[in-house]
Amino acid sequence: MKGVSKRLVLLRTTWSRSCSHVAFHHNVASETSSLLNHCYNRDLPKAMQTLDTMEKRGVWADAIAYSELIKCCLAHRAVREGKRVHQHIFSNGYQPKTFLINVLLNMYVKFNLLEEAHILFDKMPERNVVSWTTMISAYSYAKLNDRAMRLLIFMLRDGVMPNMYTFSSVLRACERLCDLKQVHSSILKVGLESDVFVRSALIDAYSKLGELLEAVGVFREMVTGDAVVWNSIIAAYAQHSDGDEALELYKCMRRAGFTTDQSTLTSVLRACTSLSLLELGRQIHVHVLKFEEDLILNNALLDMYCKCGSLEDAKFIFNRMADKDVISWSTMISGLAQNGFSMEALNLFDSMKVSGPRPNYITILGVLFACSHAGLVNEGWHHFRSMKNLYGIDPGREHYGCMLDLLGRAGKLDEMVALIREMNCEPDVVTWRTLLDACRAHRNVDLATYAAKEIIKLDRQDTGAYVLLSNIYANSKMWDDVAEVRRTMNARGIRKEPGCSWIEVNNQIHAFVVGDKSHPQIDNINRKLNQYINRLTEAGYVPDKNFVLQDLEEEQSECSLRHHSEKLAIVFGIISFPREKTIRIWKNLKICGDCHIFAKLIAKLEQRHIVIRDPIRYHHFQDGVCSCGDYW
DNA sequence: ATAGGGTTAG
């Protein structure tokens, strides 16, 4: 009884507010139900017809029916019809309630018509939390972060309380740490930090600003969470190259009984990629098969195989992918180029031009890198000079870097200097380091000295540049200058990072450092290493002690050369694996000249395939040659 | 009617 009278009162208020026609009384129920019927059947033309009839007769349906109609427009992506509904709702002095205007707002946002949405928003007689949140979310989604933040401030001034929806939207728009901290403290003040949406948005926001400790703090306070919160923190670690922690959290997530999905696996693959864990990556691949058509996940898998040096697997994945976007193509092109298969990379770029998506900034980087690797100076210049015209991409710092690399490799030092002068941005440490590497390879002491000094001007802590300068001076017997460089280094507390190499054997990572005797099999490894060196010496191997133009430490005796970490790792790989298994090593510093020769010879002697990944490049050793073409 | 997580280079 009570319910019925309440409904009557409600109806009466609707009439008095919206009805200026006597006819309305009679028709509202039947018009509404006919409109609703068409909407439920997703029959947009009929629904619009009904709307026209209603307008001619001056009758209106209720807000629920209009909201269904708008849903129907959205489902059909019918922008014109949507705008027509908007007109209808405001025609003849009808004053829709906030609820209905919010539905319209949402429609414009979903149609990506932010301009229209904002005009409507400005005209609203009153705005509730949903109106504000709809706009804030639209702006943060469109990366118009300033606007989103400003709206939050206006909202608070208007006395409207943000809810968890508002906060999870606005967190995506926090570009400055101070904004984020303020939003975070507001969240704590109103007690919304335990909402899973807010929590994952917080973790993600801190992670994007590089505040990993804050992110993990938010994660640790979690009492009840869901899979997305776990995914957020795993992604945070994976994106900041802390693969170990990402994998550890992945284990915890599974132990806690959460279902892992595409997002989890993508981050886990990224962790495998950064740690070069090919075997674990293969195991994850098995789980990936459940989500075969997921593009992002497949791209991550593709990248994992490229970066772990298994191009066979990468090509298999790439060819099997039904959908390939610009990232898939770029990943494959760069992967081939980085692993030394330049011609294949360039051929793939040709087929991309024919049947693939439009190349982007990063694609061109891979192409230039391939040219550099293959020593194709003219082809490199061609791509570099035509990228603007063909693809509308202005060459950026990285493209100049690739071109410098290409010229350096080809020994064109003068052209390098000219290109540095031509650059549209200031040379940075990387620029000068590229020049320095070229000078080292082509033995140009004067230019090397100049480049090293430029590096030190920009980065007082650059170890390599100091050591190199000191070696150059020593070679020219300029002892005062040597002493000066050493004094500066000591004064600035500069030390060389010890070289370290890692290899995965039986799902375990083994680390090797020069002079470190902690590995359980170190004696065996050293014995074996000495045997190899002796056998190779008989075959004509001479340790490369020329360190004048290498940034190595001064105690460059044959003894320490002998025990460089990558040599230990190679020997350990040989004794651990059968002949047909590829030995994969990754290390923190660039490989030295002597280890490079050693690896080439041992690959031939033992008929092995050895892959060494340093911070920038890959070396595939096979049959006495290296894929890098002896330039790195 | 409004909300959160994943891919290429450096």
Side-chain angles (χ1 to χ4, degrees):
Chain A
M1 216 35 201
K2 232 178 173 180
V4 171
S5 64
K6 231 183 194 168
R7 258 168 57 194
L8 277 173
V9 173
L10 252 159
L11 265 173
R12 200 168 294 139
T13 24
T14 319
W15 293 343
S16 58
R17 269 225 255 156
S18 60
C19 171
S20 54
H21 252 267
V22 189
F24 183 77
H25 187 169
H26 265 298
N27 291 307
V28 62
S30 68
E31 303 294 353
T32 292
S33 69
S34 129
L35 191 56
L36 272 174
N37 258 335
H38 295 317
C39 292
Y40 289 145
N41 295 332
R42 287 284 182 260
D43 189 342
L44 187 56
K46 283 229 177 90
M48 294 306 290
Q49 248 172 27
T50 312
L51 198 72
D52 287 336
T53 326
M54 287 166 59
E55 201 170 295
K56 267 182 218 141
R57 294 168 52 193
V59 272
W60 280 265
D62 65 13
I64 300 292
Y66 290 133
S67 114
E68 285 304 318
L69 178 56
I70 291 168
K71 268 190 215 162
C72 192
C73 293
L74 279 167
H76 284 85
R77 294 169 209 273
V79 178
R80 201 147 33 100
E81 285 78 357
K83 287 186 174 176
R84 172 81 189 83
V85 176
H86 177 179
Q87 261 177 21
H88 167 85
I89 287 172
F90 280 91
S91 63
N92 290 334
Y94 184 86
Q95 302 229 323
K97 283 185 275 185
T98 306
F99 163 81
L100 188 50
I101 310 183
N102 284 341
V103 175
L104 280 171
L105 268 187
N106 179 44
M107 177 192 78
Y108 281 123
V109 169
K110 295 255 166 72
F111 280 143
N112 209 8
L113 299 169
L114 293 201
E115 226 12 70
E116 274 88 341
H118 204 115
I119 293 168
L120 182 58
F121 178 77
D122 279 341
K123 283 200 301 209
M124 288 176 80
E126 52 180 34
R127 305 171 188 87
N128 63 17
V129 58
V130 177
S131 331
W132 287 100
T133 304
T134 303
M135 291 312 297
I136 290 176
S137 136
Y139 283 131
S140 69
Y141 188 79
K143 289 270 157 279
L144 297 166
N145 295 332
D146 282 345
R147 289 199 180 189
M149 293 304 291
R150 261 208 307 271
L151 274 181
L152 178 73
I153 292 164
F154 290 142
M155 172 182 187
L156 294 170
R157 261 185 225 161
D158 239 29
V160 180
M161 266 294 255
N163 62 16
M164 52 272 247
Y165 291 79
T166 324
F167 281 123
S168 35
S169 292
V170 89
L171 281 168
R172 297 175 53 138
C174 292
E175 280 178 343
R176 286 177 298 265
L177 189 56
C178 56
D179 290 343
L180 176 50
K181 294 248 174 191
Q182 236 168 39
V183 172
H184 190 173
S185 74
S186 312
I187 290 168
L188 294 172
K189 224 175 281 166
V190 292
L192 283 172
E193 74 278 11
S194 53
D195 180 80
V196 284
F197 283 78
V198 172
R199 192 181 296 280
S200 55
L202 267 172
I203 292 171
D204 193 52
Y206 276 120
S207 160
K208 290 216 164 79
L209 293 176
E211 301 288 330
L212 227 50
L213 285 177
E214 292 287 344
V216 78
V218 174
F219 176 75
R220 297 275 174 225
E221 283 156 18
M222 179 169 70
V223 182
T224 50
D226 68 358
V228 178
V229 181
W230 280 94
N231 288 346
S232 308
I233 192 69
I234 292 174
Y237 278 111
Q239 285 160 358
H240 287 89
S241 309
D242 192 340
D244 285 322
E245 193 56 36
L247 293 177
E248 193 50 46
L249 283 161
Y250 170 65
K251 271 191 235 158
C252 295
M253 177 181 181
R254 291 177 45 136
R255 229 180 285 135
F258 288 95
T259 314
T260 56
D261 64 7
Q262 294 99 311
S263 173
T264 328
L265 293 181
T266 304
S267 298
V268 170
L269 281 172
R270 180 159 174 168
C272 294
T273 307
S274 64
L275 297 170
S276 269
L277 297 179
L278 179 61
E279 294 313 319
L280 183 58
R282 275 191 214 284
Q283 288 168 31
I284 302 298
H285 186 166
V286 178
H287 300 292
V288 170
L289 297 177
K290 278 184 293 196
F291 307 100
E292 189 145 22
E293 72 303 341
D294 192 292
L295 179 58
I296 297 180
L297 182 52
N298 272 303
N299 283 344
L301 185 65
L302 178 63
D303 190 45
M304 185 277 292
Y305 280 126
C306 286
K307 294 268 173 32
C308 291
S310 186
L311 273 293
E312 293 308 312
D313 292 296
K315 281 187 254 182
F316 179 78
I317 297 292
F318 183 78
N319 291 329
R320 205 210 49 198
M321 282 168 69
D323 286 328
K324 299 188 199 45
D325 65 359
V326 64
I327 296 185
S328 328
W329 287 86
S330 306
T331 304
M332 193 70 237
I333 291 172
S334 299
L336 287 165
Q338 286 171 327
N339 283 282
F341 306 103
S342 303
M343 295 321 290
E344 275 189 65
L346 293 171
N347 289 339
L348 190 62
F349 181 57
D350 282 337
S351 35
M352 179 180 184
K353 284 194 280 193
V354 176
S355 61
R358 188 188 174 85
N360 69 10
Y361 190 95
I362 296 168
T363 321
I364 307 297
L365 277 181
V367 172
L368 292 178
F369 192 84
C371 294
S372 162
H373 222 288
L376 300 170
V377 180
N378 290 335
E379 183 153 4
W381 274 122
H382 163 72
H383 291 300
F384 182 74
R385 294 295 183 206
S386 64
M387 57 191 279
K388 172 78 176 152
N389 278 339
L390 292 180
Y391 315 112
I393 304 159
D394 280 311
R397 184 182 287 289
E398 291 95 341
H399 297 102
Y400 280 102
C402 272
M403 280 309 291
L404 289 172
D405 209 75
L406 167 57
L407 296 170
R409 186 179 281 268
K412 299 183 181 291
L413 300 180
D414 294 342
E415 282 186 50
M416 284 183 91
V417 175
L419 189 62
I420 292 176
R421 294 219 176 94
E422 181 203 305
M423 276 167 53
N424 52 12
C425 44
E426 280 298 303
D428 63 1
V429 178
V430 182
T431 314
W432 296 120
R433 176 147 287 285
T434 308
L435 182 60
L436 184 57
D437 286 339
C439 295
R440 181 154 57 200
H442 299 284
R443 314 253 161 230
N444 185 324
V445 170
D446 289 340
L447 202 51
T449 313
Y450 174 71
K453 284 182 177 168
E454 290 295 328
I455 291 174
I456 293 167
K457 267 193 220 162
L458 292 170
D459 178 9
R460 291 157 45 94
Q461 303 291 315
D462 193 298
T463 321
Y466 286 104
V467 179
L468 196 83
L469 258 187
S470 136
N471 288 343
I472 291 171
Y473 289 140
N475 195 50
S476 310
K477 304 210 179 341
M478 296 158 68
W479 304 116
D480 290 346
D481 295 287
V482 173
E484 177 63 31
V485 172
R486 294 284 145 169
R487 260 201 304 279
T488 320
M489 285 181 76
N490 286 335
R492 295 181 184 173
I494 294 162
R495 281 233 205 97
K496 193 176 161 67
E497 188 185 351
C500 192
S501 296
W502 296 270
I503 181 167
E504 182 185 1
V505 175
N506 295 330
N507 284 321
Q508 270 213 319
I509 312 295
H510 299 254
F512 294 92
V513 185
V514 196
D516 176 22
K517 305 227 184 300
S518 61
H519 193 274
Q521 297 191 48
I522 192 69
D523 291 333
N524 190 19
I525 294 169
N526 275 329
R527 196 167 50 243
K528 201 84 183 156
L529 176 57
N530 287 333
Q531 284 172 11
Y532 278 127
I533 290 178
N534 292 338
R535 278 173 65 188
L536 293 176
T537 309
E538 283 166 24
Y541 161 67
V542 183
D544 179 5
K545 285 185 286 182
N546 183 347
F547 61 93
V548 177
L549 283 166
Q550 289 187 18
D551 50 356
L552 302 170
E553 282 291 14
E554 69 260 58
E555 64 274 6
Q556 194 63 33
S557 63
E558 192 179 325
C559 175
S560 86
L561 265 183
R562 255 174 191 246
H563 301 100
H564 269 176
S565 61
E566 49 268 58
K567 289 204 186 77
L568 300 174
I570 290 172
V571 172
F572 182 59
I574 291 175
I575 56 184
S576 307
F577 291 146
R579 172 151 295 157
E580 61 279 3
K581 193 163 162 64
T582 302
I583 296 170
R584 297 171 196 279
I585 292 162
W586 73 103
K587 55 170 296 164
N588 61 339
L589 300 177
K590 291 205 288 186
I591 189 168
C592 86
D594 182 57
C595 288
H596 198 262
I597 295 174
F598 177 83
K600 286 198 286 188
L601 295 174
I602 200 100
K604 188 174 176 114
L605 179 73
E606 282 288 324
Q607 295 280 297
R608 295 280 186 151
H609 183 201
I610 301 170
V611 182
I612 299 183
R613 169 185 179 182
D614 73 20
I616 4 180
R617 280 185 179 74
Y618 293 77
H619 301 266
H620 287 249
F621 299 97
Q622 207 156 18
D623 282 331
V625 291
C626 177
S627 61
C628 78
D630 296 337
Y631 183 96
W632 66 94

